[in-house]
Amino acid sequence: MAAESAPEQPPAIPTFKLSDGNEIPVLSYGLGTARFKRGSKDVLDESTIEYTLAALRQGYYHLDCAEVYGNEAEVGAALSRANIPRSKLYITTKSSCTKGETIDLALTRSLRKLGTDYVDLYLIHSPFWAGDIYSPDPEVRAAAERALQEKWAEMEAAKDSGRVRSIGVSNFLKEHLEAVLKTARYPPVVNQIEFHPYLQHHDAEGGLLGYLKEKGIVAEAYGPLTAVTKAAPGPLDEVYESISKKHGVTPAEVALRWCVDQGVVAITTSAKEERLRGWVRPGVLGFELTKEEVEEIAQKGREKHFRGFWNDKFKEDDRR
């Protein structure tokens, strides 16, 4: 009788080095948007558990969660069933900074739901709760700065406690980061933002991505497939098609690689396990874009502006 073949091992996803010395996988499976939990929060959503298990089977050990998604308990259930050593996992979650609640309380609740003693990356989900940092009133601006600085001090305490390996932010613009950096003992290592060719965060000073690189903050992209999916058709369609044929990959893989080749972590999701498999075997891991291709995508992308999230916080033509 022939010996049974060993199950195929998922590929190791490369990492970027963070400014605190830790490393972060360049691809992440996101539990927001399509996996956002609606309805009763007390009943486990088996479909989310199964989608998470599918991602883990394909080697997506970097899971991106948030308390506002309402599905940390489902992620915890999937991790328990998957029985993967904690040391192999990279778990991110985020605090909504709910009024009257401390970071310590929010983190304790998230850790309990996730079933882990620590998270690898903990983020402030947005800066908008802190107030209007762009207000013409200097007192309003100062109050917003203080709120961000005080909350960041709580994040630093969470890191000191050992329950968080790295700390960062999400949806922060330059002014929010500048406020935090004025008083930070530990600078943010990550800023998770909506990032794709139709939202490159360019402004007169060169853009958010350049500022992050200057400060040693790694950008994480959510919505990296936007130009392929919900913002299509658009000026990039033919460019994606041409480059994907040249490399023998899909337009989605080109879109993800465009982020990675700029030093940006790509957060993506899919309900189709075969698609997740294809993105890493070899998929995104099997080719690189040339500098010319990266710039071609960037230039063509600037012909269209599309923002999929937080539209209530930005004017229609605001590209920051």
Side-chain angles (χ1 to χ4, degrees):
M1 182 169 59
E4 290 187 11
S5 59
E8 183 182 4
Q9 294 299 306
I13 292 176
T15 60
F16 292 144
K17 181 67 86 58
L18 299 173
S19 62
D20 63 5
N22 294 322
E23 296 185 356
I24 185 169
V26 304
L27 291 178
S28 172
Y29 185 77
L31 274 299
T33 314
R35 304 279 77 79
F36 197 101
K37 190 173 182 179
R38 293 169 176 82
S40 174
K41 305 295 185 186
D42 299 324
V43 179
L44 287 178
D45 181 350
E46 284 294 329
S47 66
T48 296
I49 296 172
E50 288 304 316
Y51 292 140
T52 306
L53 285 169
L56 291 168
R57 283 193 294 269
Q58 299 309 322
Y60 293 81
Y61 292 164
H62 179 183
L63 301 178
D64 183 80
C65 316
E67 63 174 342
V68 75
Y69 301 161
N71 55 25
E72 288 173 318
E74 281 79 2
V75 175
L79 294 174
S80 176
R81 296 180 195 181
N83 199 29
I84 296 170
R86 179 65 182 87
S87 59
K88 287 189 174 184
L89 299 168
Y90 192 96
I91 302 174
T92 296
T93 197
K94 313 175 193 75
S95 170
S96 299
C97 297
T98 302
K99 186 176 180 179
E101 219 178 64
T102 64
I103 287 292
D104 181 73
L105 179 60
L107 176 60
T108 298
R109 185 171 57 237
S110 289
L111 291 175
R112 183 178 67 250
K113 291 180 178 180
L114 290 166
T116 183
D117 295 330
Y118 69 95
V119 289
D120 299 272
L121 179 63
Y122 196 45
L123 306 179
I124 293 177
H125 204 148
S126 89
F128 305 120
W129 53 270
D132 185 4
I133 207 164
Y134 302 101
S135 171
D137 185 334
E139 291 188 5
V140 173
R141 291 199 307 272
E145 282 202 3
R146 283 195 304 272
L148 290 169
Q149 291 163 355
E150 289 168 2
K151 193 59 68 174
W152 187 252
E154 292 183 41
M155 293 287 285
E156 292 174 322
K159 179 176 171 63
D160 287 336
S161 76
R163 299 190 299 162
V164 175
R165 296 286 173 87
S166 297
I167 51 177
V169 297
S170 182
N171 299 299
F172 275 46
L173 299 181
K174 181 180 177 181
E175 289 78 5
H176 304 116
L177 288 162
E178 286 177 334
V180 166
L181 290 170
K182 284 180 183 178
T183 59
R185 290 187 295 118
Y186 307 128
V189 298
V190 156
N191 185 18
Q192 187 179 120
I193 54 176
E194 181 182 354
F195 180 73
H196 47 77
Y198 295 152
L199 183 59
Q200 298 180 49
H201 300 275
H202 276 282
D203 58 25
E205 297 181 5
L208 181 59
L209 206 63
Y211 178 78
L212 295 178
K213 289 180 179 178
E214 174 191 328
K215 298 299 181 183
I217 301 171
V218 170
E220 281 192 281
Y222 65 82
L225 299 182
T226 295
V228 180
T229 55
K230 58 185 176 182
L236 267 172
D237 295 355
E238 291 185 8
V239 175
Y240 274 149
E241 191 64 31
S242 173
I243 293 175
S244 66
K245 286 181 178 178
K246 174 184 172 182
H247 291 282
V249 296
T250 67
E253 288 160 5
V254 171
L256 294 173
R257 191 72 219 186
W258 182 77
C259 292
V260 173
D261 282 337
Q262 295 182 84
V264 177
V265 174
I267 303 169
T268 190
T269 191
S270 178
K272 297 181 179 179
E273 185 168 358
E274 193 56 36
R275 182 174 295 164
L276 292 172
R277 175 187 175 88
W279 286 345
V280 293
R281 298 173 191 258
V284 180
L285 307 183
F287 76 107
E288 293 182 10
L289 297 173
T290 66
K291 290 181 180 179
E292 293 75 17
E293 288 168 337
V294 170
E295 184 56 27
E296 181 184 7
I297 292 169
Q299 290 287 357
K300 202 68 177 175
R302 292 182 193 125
E303 295 179 10
K304 178 175 180 174
H305 173 60
F306 183 94
R307 188 188 298 273
F309 302 88
W310 300 101
N311 284 292
D312 61 323
K313 304 297 182 183
F314 296 92
K315 293 180 180 178
E316 189 174 344
D317 61 347
D318 190 339
R319 295 179 177 236
R320 289 176 300 163

